[in-house]
Amino acid sequence: MLSFSRSQTTKGIWLAKSPNFQRFTLVMDIEGTDGRERGEDDTTFEKQSTLFALAVSDVVLINMWCHDIGREQAANKPLLKTVFQVMMRLFTPRKSTLIFVIRDKTKTPLEYLEPILREDIQKIWDSAPKPEAHMNTPLSEFFNVEVVALSSCERMEDQFTEEVGCMRQRFFHPNEHGELAGDRHGAVPASGFSFSAVKIWEDIKQNKDLNIPSHKVMVATVRCEEIVNEKYAAFAGNKEWSQLEKAVQSATDHDHRGFGDKLSRILDTYISEYDGEATYYDEGVRSEKRKQLEEKLLKLAQPAFKASLKHIRCSTLDKFKEAFKRALDGQEGFSVAVSNCTEYLMAQFDKDCADAAIKQANWDTSKVKDKLRRDIEAHVASVLSDKITQHTALCKEKLEELLLGPVKALLEKASNETWPTIRTLLQLETESVSSGSWNAHRGFDMDEQTKAKIHASLEEHGRGVVEAKAKEEAGRVLTSMVARFSKNFSHDSDSIERVWNPNEDIRAIAKTARSASLEVLSVMAAIRLHHDGDEIQNTLSLSFLDSTDPSSEDRNITRIDPLGLNAWEKIPLSNTLISPPTCKDVWERFMAEAEVIVSDAIAKQEANKRNNNWLPPIWAIVALIVLGFNEFMALYRNPFYLCVIIVVFVLFHALWVRLDIAGEFHNGVLPGLQSLSAKIVPTIGCMIKRPAEERTRPAAR
């Protein structure tokens, strides 16, 4: 089927070798620059092809209709301006020939048309932006401009053929009609033409200055941008949006509710208005600017959205803290409370985030959710730490309560088994309290490291309690030594107070009591929570108890005094309570006080000796017999006196026994008299009443 429609003859760029020229000549044909096939929106290729032709050709024929001279678009002025501008920037000057072929010339002589055309070309050159290097470069440095006029092919065919033949002769015999090739110095050799053409085309394709949009696109761009700015300004000044933003920024508990729906509705309003006003403009530009409007509106709304998420996160965290506290107060297990509260409130957070989401945006909330989860974990860790700290403090108080009394009693008792017993007691009580701590923390899911840390803390606290008590007792060691000496010296093994009769060996008893007091000093001299095996007891014994032995004195002549050192052997300085020099000073003060007690005992023993020797001297007895002969005879003659004397003797003996007169005078005459004066009357009354009670007892039966 034949088609008689009129269409574009040349499409793209065609290149062929001319068969009629003597010298090797390539002829390039490019499509027209104002064809309807490409339309008004695709002017890039015509600019690229035109620039390519100017860059690689020695002679360029520009076909122009006579009636288009003086016009803007039809005369290709914008095209030439763009091509000139890019050519000066991309390529070095190489003069080529521009032949403007004016078709269908009219009666207007060529002499009138040519100046107009040259003037237009010169204006295009002058107005084209130039790089600094070509700011003052004239048009003649790049092009030789010639103008040729041809008659109408349809109305004057013979004349047109003749004029075309004359023009062809210039290419067959260029020397006769003038050189058309222009500047040959920058010409590329035939062997390199292919590579040069490819490189020139790549440079042209990469140049953005040739991608100038069409008039319709430019109008759509300008107008759509105006609409975008109008809608953006209207949204920014929208009262409802301002109130919503203010409410979110100063968020109270419920100000974020419905934030996403409200903001989405406001955004929809302005985007729909844009769509309505821009509906008749270029679709590509309209879509691009619509996207820009959405981005600008969302960028303006994003801070409020972030503030809403921040409030949701903070509010959810506060709710978690309250719910978690209630769960713990309700005796719910720690781990169970953490799991339940976290699961519930994270679900609530997701719901609130969905409520705050904007449907026009796909903003990620995972970072905020991760931040919330980290905050919850930090709070749980803080609560767990506080709970463990509180319970550990209670365990320490309990351990201290369990240790103080027994440790004090053991230190006061002070024997060789004191520190081993204290160590055993400390270990047992620490294990007991520690086991109770694990049971109390069973719901906390503590790892072994935490348990070991708590146990170590209790052990350290227990040692601190023992050390503090030991230091306290060491501060009054002299009092303890004197008390121990007084107890052992003044009481026998049955804890009965001694009566210092002549048979008691006071010196031996005192030595034994001093040995017991020295044991107190030895125990209190150092803390022995880690080990025994020290020589403090032996050192003190050799220094204080065995120093009176003559053989020991001989040995000590060549031996260094161990109490002259500042520390005990095998005892760290930190565990020393009483240094050797201090022990020496304490012992001297103790001996002074002990000597007073011993002296008092010796005095009492001497007094008892005197009190027990109650018989008068022999001479006194003889004197009594001689001088009392008359009295004896009187008693012999009158037995009544003898009876009275016997009765008085019995009564006196009874009083002597009941009142324990010998014992009362044991502590001295004056104390004995005071004691007897207070006891004699009640004793006599008791002795009188007792016979009366004996007589009335059978009658009562």
Side-chain angles (χ1 to χ4, degrees):
M1 181 177 180
L2 296 177
S3 175
F4 296 99
S5 61
R6 188 164 180 253
S7 63
Q8 187 178 24
T9 304
T10 305
K11 294 183 179 180
I13 301 176
W14 294 76
L15 190 66
K17 177 182 179 297
S18 175
N20 299 324
F21 294 157
Q22 293 180 356
R23 66 172 63 177
F24 190 89
T25 303
L26 291 176
V27 178
M28 181 169 61
D29 186 15
I30 63 176
E31 67 181 42
T33 59
D34 195 18
R36 68 180 178 85
E37 281 76 11
R38 291 193 178 272
E40 62 175 336
D41 296 335
D42 191 2
T43 61
T44 301
F45 180 75
E46 67 182 37
K47 296 182 181 69
Q48 293 173 342
S49 60
T50 301
L51 181 58
F52 180 71
L54 292 174
V56 302
S57 302
D58 295 323
V59 180
V60 178
L61 299 179
I62 300 175
N63 194 7
M64 182 182 295
W65 193 32
C66 180
H67 297 286
D68 292 337
I69 297 176
R71 295 179 180 176
E72 185 72 18
Q73 296 293 334
N76 290 320
K77 289 182 180 181
L79 175 62
L80 288 176
K81 183 177 180 179
T82 302
V83 170
F84 285 166
Q85 173 186 348
V86 177
M87 188 172 184
M88 284 185 288
R89 184 160 51 82
L90 294 181
F91 309 113
T92 57
R94 186 181 72 84
K95 185 181 293 186
S96 56
T97 301
L98 291 180
I99 300 179
F100 288 87
V101 180
I102 301 174
R103 296 181 294 103
D104 299 339
K105 65 180 180 178
T106 61
K107 294 180 179 181
T108 304
L110 180 61
E111 292 78 9
Y112 292 162
L113 297 176
E114 184 175 353
I116 296 174
L117 185 57
R118 288 183 178 273
E119 182 181 359
D120 290 342
I121 295 173
Q122 187 62 46
K123 287 181 179 180
I124 293 172
W125 178 264
D126 294 338
S127 62
K130 303 177 181 63
E132 188 68 27
H134 298 297
M135 191 63 68
N136 298 318
T137 302
L139 176 64
S140 58
E141 288 289 330
F142 276 86
F143 303 107
N144 291 326
V145 179
E146 295 189 13
V147 181
V148 176
L150 298 178
S151 300
S152 174
C153 178
E154 295 178 356
R155 291 182 288 104
M156 306 172 66
E157 184 177 356
D158 294 338
Q159 188 175 351
F160 173 80
T161 302
E162 182 181 354
E163 292 171 350
V164 170
C166 293
M167 185 176 176
R168 184 183 297 113
Q169 292 301 317
R170 297 194 61 181
F171 290 93
F172 289 157
H173 307 287
N175 294 331
E176 297 178 3
H177 300 86
E179 182 63 56
L180 292 177
D183 187 2
R184 301 294 300 169
H185 297 291
V188 178
S191 60
F193 175 77
S194 175
F195 175 79
S196 175
V198 171
K199 185 66 172 64
I200 290 173
W201 181 253
E202 289 178 354
D203 292 341
I204 292 174
K205 288 286 288 183
Q206 294 173 3
N207 192 272
K208 302 299 181 181
D209 292 341
L210 298 175
N211 298 329
I212 300 175
S214 65
H215 179 71
K216 183 177 74 173
V217 172
M218 287 190 293
V219 171
T221 301
V222 173
R223 182 58 188 137
C224 288
E225 284 182 355
E226 290 178 353
I227 299 173
V228 166
N229 293 333
E230 290 174 2
K231 300 309 170 188
Y232 179 80
F235 174 80
N238 183 274
K239 184 177 180 180
E240 186 178 359
W241 154 245
S242 299
Q243 292 176 349
L244 183 61
E245 182 183 27
K246 183 178 180 181
V248 172
Q249 294 294 347
S250 59
T252 57
D253 191 28
H254 299 287
D255 287 336
H256 66 279
R257 298 295 175 85
F259 171 81
D261 291 338
K262 294 177 184 177
L263 184 55
S264 298
R265 178 174 49 80
I266 298 173
L267 291 173
D268 271 342
T269 300
Y270 289 98
I271 293 175
S272 298
E273 290 179 0
Y274 168 85
D275 291 338
E277 296 182 22
T279 186
Y280 297 108
Y281 294 101
D282 181 77
E283 182 179 359
V285 175
R286 184 175 72 243
S287 299
E288 181 181 357
K289 297 303 176 182
R290 187 183 193 276
K291 184 178 180 181
Q292 292 180 7
L293 175 61
E294 287 184 356
E295 291 176 352
K296 292 179 68 175
L297 294 178
L298 292 176
K299 185 177 181 180
L300 182 62
Q302 192 171 28
F305 175 75
K306 290 182 177 179
S308 178
L309 289 185
K310 180 180 179 181
H311 174 71
I312 294 173
R313 177 178 61 81
C314 295
S315 176
T316 305
L317 180 61
D318 292 340
K319 292 177 181 177
F320 174 84
K321 292 178 179 179
E322 294 175 2
F324 188 50
K325 185 176 183 301
R326 288 196 302 269
L328 294 181
D329 292 342
Q331 303 302 318
E332 188 173 349
F334 190 89
S335 301
V336 176
V338 171
S339 177
N340 293 341
C341 293
T342 301
E343 182 179 357
Y344 171 73
L345 286 166
M346 291 305 291
Q348 185 64 39
F349 174 80
D350 292 337
K351 181 179 179 181
D352 292 340
C353 286
D355 182 68
I358 302 171
K359 69 178 183 180
Q360 291 84 358
N362 189 23
W363 288 328
D364 185 18
T365 61
S366 60
K367 291 183 178 180
V368 181
K369 187 174 183 179
D370 292 341
K371 178 67 167 60
L372 173 62
R373 192 177 295 279
R374 291 195 298 271
D375 291 342
I376 290 176
E377 291 174 352
H379 177 70
V380 170
S382 175
V383 172
L384 177 59
S385 177
D386 291 343
K387 291 289 185 183
I388 293 176
T389 301
Q390 292 173 6
H391 196 78
T392 303
L394 294 176
C395 290
K396 289 181 179 179
E397 292 180 3
K398 183 177 180 181
L399 179 62
E400 184 174 350
E401 182 181 351
L402 292 173
L403 290 176
L404 279 178
V407 169
K408 181 179 180 181
L410 289 170
L411 291 174
E412 288 177 349
K413 190 175 181 181
S415 66
N416 292 333
E417 297 299 320
T418 295
W419 284 110
T421 305
I422 289 177
R423 287 198 298 270
T424 303
L425 175 68
L426 177 60
Q427 182 179 1
L428 292 176
E429 296 297 350
T430 302
E431 291 292 340
S432 174
V433 174
S434 182
S435 300
S437 176
W438 306 151
N439 294 332
H441 291 93
R442 186 169 297 171
F444 286 70
D445 292 338
M446 289 189 301
D447 54 15
E448 294 301 324
Q449 184 178 2
T450 304
K451 291 182 179 180
K453 185 177 180 180
I454 294 175
H455 185 74
S457 176
L458 290 176
E459 284 185 337
E460 182 179 1
H461 182 73
R463 287 193 298 269
V465 171
V466 172
E467 291 175 0
K469 196 62 184 177
K471 291 178 181 178
E472 180 183 345
E473 294 298 325
R476 52 173 179 261
V477 64
L478 179 60
T479 304
S480 300
M481 291 172 66
V482 172
R484 174 71 67 88
F485 177 83
S486 178
K487 180 180 179 181
N488 291 338
F489 181 75
S490 301
H491 297 76
D492 58 17
S493 59
D494 296 328
S495 299
I496 299 175
E497 187 175 0
R498 296 182 189 274
V499 177
W500 299 111
N501 54 51
N503 298 327
E504 296 287 351
D505 187 357
I506 293 179
R507 295 298 176 183
I509 295 173
K511 184 176 181 180
T512 303
R514 282 197 298 270
S515 178
S517 298
L518 185 65
E519 196 170 23
V520 175
L521 183 60
S522 172
V523 169
M524 300 307 304
I527 298 172
R528 303 173 180 88
L529 287 178
H530 299 288
H531 59 83
D532 282 327
D534 57 85
E535 299 296 329
I536 295 179
Q537 177 73 28
N538 295 334
T539 301
L540 293 177
S541 296
L542 291 173
S543 299
F544 299 143
L545 298 181
D546 300 339
S547 59
T548 58
D549 186 3
S551 60
S552 65
E553 290 181 359
D554 295 337
R555 291 195 304 269
N556 291 338
I557 293 176
T558 59
R559 186 168 60 87
I560 298 176
D561 183 9
L563 299 182
L565 304 176
N566 291 325
W568 299 105
E569 187 178 358
K570 299 181 181 180
I571 297 294
L573 188 60
S574 59
N575 291 340
T576 300
L577 295 177
I578 305 175
S579 64
T582 306
C583 284
K584 190 172 183 180
D585 179 64
V586 170
W587 184 257
E588 290 176 354
R589 292 158 57 192
F590 162 75
M591 287 298 293
E593 296 193 23
E595 192 62 32
V596 173
I597 298 174
V598 172
S599 299
D600 184 60
I602 293 174
K604 291 180 180 180
Q605 189 180 50
E606 293 296 330
N608 286 338
K609 287 181 180 180
R610 291 193 297 270
N611 292 334
N612 290 334
N613 191 14
W614 56 274
L615 291 176
I618 299 299
W619 63 268
I621 296 174
V622 172
L624 286 173
I625 294 173
V626 172
L627 296 176
F629 180 76
N630 295 329
E631 285 76 8
F632 289 135
M633 291 304 294
L635 290 175
Y636 177 74
R637 292 188 185 99
N638 192 355
F640 177 74
Y641 290 134
L642 183 61
C643 292
V644 171
I645 291 172
I646 293 173
V647 170
V648 171
F649 175 78
V650 171
L651 292 174
F652 181 78
H653 184 268
L655 285 174
W656 182 277
V657 174
R658 295 292 294 271
L659 294 175
D660 190 18
I661 295 175
E664 294 294 339
F665 284 98
H666 177 75
N667 295 324
V669 177
L670 184 60
L673 292 174
Q674 291 177 346
S675 178
L676 290 175
S677 64
K679 294 166 59 177
I680 190 168
V681 174
T683 302
I684 293 173
C686 182
M687 291 175 63
I688 294 173
K689 289 172 61 178
R690 186 170 182 179
E693 291 177 354
E694 291 292 335
R695 288 194 300 268
T696 58
R697 189 171 300 169
R701 292 176 183 174

